[in-house]
Amino acid sequence: MSTVKHHLVGCKNLYEYYSAAMFESDAIKVISSESKYTNVSILSGGSMMYIDAVCKGIDDIPTVNDDVRNTMRQRLYDEGLPCLVEELKKLDPEYWNIVDRNNPRRVVHALEIIHQTGQSYSSFRNNIHKKRPFDIVKIGLNMYRGTLYNRINQRVCDMMDNGMLGEAKSVYKYKGVNSLNTVGYKELFEYIEHKISLDEAITKIQSNTREYARKQLTWFKKDISTCWFYPDDKDNIINYINNKRKINTTP
């Protein structure tokens, strides 16, 4: 980050609401602004829905107001996820049939929209790809599974050595906010609450990170427009990008 200018990193506080739709709008603005100075912008990361929001566009789903969001968050805490899943089944069976029912964020968000608008969440989903005023070249990076898992395990150890536990303790009072419902914080919060040992928390972070990596690969490999390389295959990556740019600029 000290070498290349980054955007939309560290731009929100922990308890500030943010969504894929808001990211889509912000990212498109950045890309348009940067196009005055460069003809290449790099969108990097592994959040699947956020990347799709920029590349394909996202459905125009209403923003949830604070009252509805707080009510649903409290209901999740009081009633538990299975009850909310059953409610979603009654109110929007179409979305219930395809949603990840073990993902509280997806289930709760759908119910938020239903209760705020009085319409099913499915009614706002049209899956129409938006046209972008720029060309998109998708590069996927992968490596041998064993190597990937070893690097994930070591990265977790490095993060712990660099103060991750202290960071988790410093934000524990905000543990209910969506931004902290992520791998790393959740497991350390269990340790802070004396539910598991620190070693168990570290092992769970490693395991859950590996699982997330598997989900990332499954998601991205469905997109046939993504070309895959090993991370150190720099020459072929650059050649591929240059060839794609030639094709896209040919009249």
Side-chain angles (χ1 to χ4, degrees), residues 142-153 210 213 217:
N142 199 4
M143 58 181 65
Y144 294 112
R145 194 60 58 95
T147 303
L148 174 63
Y149 288 173
N150 288 337
R151 290 186 62 168
I152 287 173
N153 293 341
R210 295 194 301 269
L217 289 168

Side-chain angles (χ1 to χ4, degrees), residues 8 11-13 15-30 49-50 53-54 57-66 69 109 130 132:
L8 306 182
C11 60
K12 299 291 179 181
N13 58 46
Y15 41 83
E16 190 172 357
Y17 177 72
Y18 202 58
S19 67
M22 297 167 72
F23 177 74
E24 174 191 9
S25 176
D26 290 343
I28 294 298
K29 288 177 183 176
V30 168
M49 183 175 292
Y50 278 56
V54 176
I58 200 166
D59 296 324
D60 294 323
I61 295 174
T63 299
V64 179
N65 65 48
D66 290 340
R69 187 178 305 111
H109 183 58
K130 298 177 182 177
R132 298 304 190 196

Side-chain angles (χ1 to χ4, degrees), residues 4-213:
V4 179
K5 184 177 181 180
H6 283 60
H7 301 270
L8 306 182
V9 176
C11 60
K12 299 291 179 181
N13 58 46
L14 288 175
Y15 41 83
E16 190 172 357
Y17 177 72
Y18 202 58
S19 67
M22 297 167 72
F23 177 74
E24 174 191 9
S25 176
D26 290 343
I28 294 298
K29 288 177 183 176
V30 168
I31 293 171
S32 298
S33 176
E34 287 298 300
S35 67
K36 301 173 185 176
Y37 313 104
T38 178
N39 60 357
V40 176
S41 293
I42 298 175
L43 177 64
S44 173
S47 183
M48 293 84 81
M49 183 175 292
Y50 278 56
I51 290 176
D52 272 359
V54 176
C55 295
K56 301 177 181 178
I58 200 166
D59 296 324
D60 294 323
I61 295 174
T63 299
V64 179
N65 65 48
D66 290 340
D67 289 340
V68 172
R69 187 178 305 111
N70 291 335
T71 297
M72 290 306 305
R73 184 184 299 165
Q74 189 61 45
R75 286 190 59 197
L76 176 64
Y77 180 81
D78 293 338
E79 302 173 30
L81 181 60
C83 288
L84 298 186
V85 170
E86 280 302 307
E87 182 177 345
L88 180 62
K89 182 179 181 180
K90 295 176 182 177
L91 298 178
D92 191 351
E94 181 181 344
Y95 187 63
W96 174 88
N97 195 47
I98 62 173
V99 70
D100 178 358
R101 297 168 205 157
N102 294 314
N103 188 324
R105 281 182 286 182
R106 300 282 165 79
V107 173
V108 168
H109 183 58
L111 288 172
E112 288 172 344
I113 297 299
I114 292 169
H115 286 292
Q116 177 162 307
T117 66
Q119 302 178 53
S120 70
Y121 183 67
S122 299
S123 66
F124 293 98
R125 291 166 50 86
N126 52 43
N127 295 317
I128 297 175
H129 288 191
K130 298 177 182 177
K131 292 184 178 181
R132 298 304 190 196
F134 46 79
D135 296 315
I136 298 172
V137 178
K138 294 182 180 179
I139 302 293
L141 300 179
N142 199 4
M143 58 181 65
Y144 294 112
R145 194 60 58 95
T147 303
L148 174 63
Y149 288 173
N150 288 337
R151 290 186 62 168
I152 287 173
N153 293 341
Q154 184 57 50
R155 179 174 178 269
V156 173
C157 293
D158 292 343
M159 291 167 68
M160 293 299 298
D161 290 341
N162 290 327
M164 188 177 180
L165 177 57
E167 181 179 326
K169 289 179 177 179
S170 71
V171 299
Y172 177 72
K173 60 184 177 181
Y174 303 113
K175 61 172 270 185
V177 302
N178 192 52
S179 58
L180 295 176
N181 185 28
T182 55
V183 176
Y185 292 113
K186 292 189 297 185
E187 296 83 358
L188 289 177
F189 289 161
E190 289 186 78
Y191 163 71
I192 293 170
E193 294 168 351
H194 305 292
K195 294 179 179 178
I196 58 176
S197 70
L198 183 57
D199 285 343
E200 288 174 320
I202 293 172
T203 298
K204 287 184 72 173
I205 294 172
Q206 292 171 328
S207 175
N208 291 337
T209 304
R210 295 194 301 269
E211 175 62 24
Y212 186 64

